[in-house]
């Protein structure tokens, strides 16, 4: 997604907005910190000085190295299971840091694709392991962890991000908690990955309406920069009259879902970014940004806005026959 992200960043900077005020788009947090000496022994830890109200707990585990084989003696693990990422933080509230290890099966240690992705927590006090799949979306590229509080009821939760194999540079996300020596879903992964429910329809004069089903708010995108292609595809006539009323636009899954502590209260919100396309998938017309919070076990929308993208985003040649991908 790097080329696409770079273009979008330029769009943000130039302030090409459909609604709202321009701002720098959310970027993945840099969680790489120096790695201590490696050991597979249970840590003889003392209570950590981490604040439980949102202190930076992205410290890399001193006991598990990325791309190393993951094969603890007391766990039944498939062959070719490697460490994808590992963090060191207190996730059960006992004041002692635990190892949070993201693992998956890979052909070779340096291969970027992994399947059967799982999360393991090695309890810092007991040395015992909890292990479970991240969920249904358990394969992809360059998976990584983020550790932090996502509501007032938690100590530190575990956010897993994995780039998908699909077009559009999308990723999937899982949010887990470690409770009672077990890993459990903080949120259902389908809810977390659903994104904004948008109804996207073409209208006369090369306009596209985008309606948010949560808020009822409708924005209008001017798609006249694609009118020559739309006329050729017989979606519109030369005067801008809509010919195909059944055609709809599409919204991608999240390109990014980034933790941000917006109000500095030590609890993270989630900022999502999705792309809206017109008559074909690469006909990207807008970026939609949403801000979410977790409250009483539910994902709640705080705000959303639409950002129009310039013609340069629709670089791909449209299909000869109108088939929406």
């Amino acid at each position: 997604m790097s080329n696409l992200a770079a273009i979008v960043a330029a769009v943000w900077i130039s302030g090409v907005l459909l609604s709202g005020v321009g701002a720098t788009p959310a970027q993945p947090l840099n969680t790489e910190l120096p790695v201590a000496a490696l050991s597979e022994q249970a840590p003889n830890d003392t209570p950590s000085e981490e604040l439980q109200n949102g202190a930076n707990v992205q410290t890399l585990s001193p006991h598990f190295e990325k791309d190393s084989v993951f094969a603890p003696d007391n766990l039944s693990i498939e062959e070719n299971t490697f460490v994808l990422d590992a963090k060191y933080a207190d996730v059960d509230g006992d004041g002692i840091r635990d190892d949070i290890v993201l693992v998956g099966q890979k052909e070779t240690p340096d291969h970027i694709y992994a399947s059967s992705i799982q999360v393991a927590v090695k309890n810092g006090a007991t040395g015992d392991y909890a292990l479970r799949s991240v969920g249904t979306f358990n394969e992809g590229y360059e998976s990584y962890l983020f550790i932090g509080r996502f509501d007032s009821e938690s100590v530190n939760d575990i956010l897993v991000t994995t780039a998908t194999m699909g077009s559009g540079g999308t990723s999937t996300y899982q949010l887990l908690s470690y409770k009672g020596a077990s890993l459990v879903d903080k949120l259902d992964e389908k809810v977390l990955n659903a994104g904004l429910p948008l109804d996207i329809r073409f209208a006369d004069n090369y306009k596209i309406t985008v309606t948010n089903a949560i808020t009822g708010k409708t924005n209008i995108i001017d798609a006249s920069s694609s009118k020559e292609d739309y006329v050729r595809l017989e979606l519109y006539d030369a005067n801008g009259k809509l010919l195909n009323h059944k055609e709809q636009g599409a919204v991608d899954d999240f390109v990014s879902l980034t933790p941000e502590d917006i109000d500095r209260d030590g609890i993270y919100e989630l900022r999502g970014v999705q792309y809206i396309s017109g008559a074909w998938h690469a006909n990207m017309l807008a970026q939609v940004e949403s801000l979410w919070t977790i409250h009483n076990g539910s994902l709640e929308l705080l705000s959303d806005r639409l950002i129009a993208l310039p013609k340069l985003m629709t670089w791909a040649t449209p299909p000869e026959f109108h088939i929406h991908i």
Side-chain angles (χ1 to χ4, degrees):
M1 123 180 145
S2 58
N3 291 337
L4 189 57
I7 295 172
V8 172
V11 174
W12 276 79
I13 294 170
S14 63
V16 184
L17 299 178
L18 183 65
S19 62
V21 181
T24 303
Q27 297 293 331
L29 298 178
N30 180 8
T31 61
E32 296 299 318
L33 298 175
V35 182
L38 299 173
S39 168
E40 292 189 359
Q41 301 300 316
N44 181 18
D45 210 351
T46 56
S48 72
E49 296 180 355
E50 293 171 0
L51 296 176
Q52 298 305 318
N53 62 350
N56 183 358
V57 289
Q58 305 313 307
T59 304
L60 295 178
S61 168
H63 309 114
F64 296 90
E65 184 177 14
K66 183 178 179 181
D67 297 330
S68 64
V69 173
F70 182 74
D73 293 337
N74 54 344
L75 285 180
S76 178
I77 300 294
E78 296 289 336
E79 292 185 3
N80 296 323
T81 297
F82 296 92
V83 174
L84 308 178
D85 193 10
K87 294 293 190 288
Y88 194 45
D90 178 12
V91 290
D92 60 4
D94 64 358
I96 299 175
R97 283 183 282 192
D98 312 291
D99 290 291
I100 307 97
V101 191
L102 187 66
V103 302
Q105 290 184 270
K106 300 195 293 182
E107 292 183 0
T108 61
D110 58 353
H111 204 277
I112 63 173
Y113 169 78
S115 61
S116 301
I117 298 173
Q118 302 179 85
V119 172
V121 171
K122 186 175 184 179
N123 189 291
T126 67
D128 294 335
Y129 281 92
L131 176 72
R132 61 156 283 177
S133 170
V134 294
T136 303
F137 311 127
N138 65 351
E139 60 180 321
Y141 297 87
E142 299 180 335
S143 298
Y144 65 91
L145 296 166
F146 178 91
I147 311 300
R149 295 181 71 200
F150 286 90
D151 65 14
S152 59
E153 300 174 358
S154 65
V155 179
N156 280 310
D157 302 305
I158 303 165
L159 178 66
V160 180
T161 300
T162 303
T164 69
M165 298 176 286
S167 61
T170 60
S171 296
T172 58
Y173 305 88
Q174 288 87 15
L175 187 60
L176 308 176
S177 294
Y178 180 66
K179 294 182 178 181
S182 297
L183 284 159
V184 297
D185 287 324
K186 181 79 173 182
L187 279 177
D188 182 274
E189 65 177 335
K190 291 183 179 179
V191 173
L192 184 61
N193 287 275
L196 286 173
L198 302 178
D199 183 66
I200 304 166
R201 297 183 181 273
F202 289 89
D204 287 340
N205 299 314
Y206 311 109
K207 298 296 193 294
I208 297 177
T209 63
V210 181
T211 302
N212 184 333
I214 297 176
T215 65
K217 181 175 65 176
T218 296
N219 286 290
I220 298 175
I221 301 173
D222 182 0
S224 57
S225 61
S226 299
K227 64 182 180 181
E228 292 183 2
D229 294 320
Y230 289 173
V231 170
R232 183 178 63 80
L233 295 171
E234 299 182 351
L235 178 60
Y236 288 90
D237 68 16
N239 296 316
K241 181 177 177 57
L242 181 64
L243 301 177
N244 184 348
H245 291 270
K246 294 182 179 180
E247 183 62 35
Q248 297 185 36
V251 58
D252 278 348
D253 296 333
F254 285 120
V255 172
S256 64
L257 190 63
T258 307
E260 294 185 18
D261 184 2
I262 302 299
D263 47 11
R264 304 296 182 185
D265 64 350
I267 298 174
Y268 287 95
E269 290 75 36
L270 289 164
R271 186 181 300 279
V273 174
Q274 298 166 266
Y275 291 118
I276 292 173
S277 58
W280 63 97
H281 188 233
N283 180 213
M284 292 185 180
L285 301 173
Q287 170 180 302
V288 59
E289 179 185 288
S290 53
L291 185 65
W292 307 83
T293 187
I294 297 173
H295 182 66
N296 292 331
S298 299
L299 189 65
E300 297 183 0
L301 179 66
L302 296 176
S303 64
D304 69 300
R305 66 174 180 171
L306 217 62
I307 304 168
L309 299 178
K311 175 69 174 177
L312 62 89
M313 291 298 295
T314 62
W315 61 84
T317 302
E320 290 299 322
F321 299 98
H322 193 178
I323 301 175
H324 193 96
I325 300 174

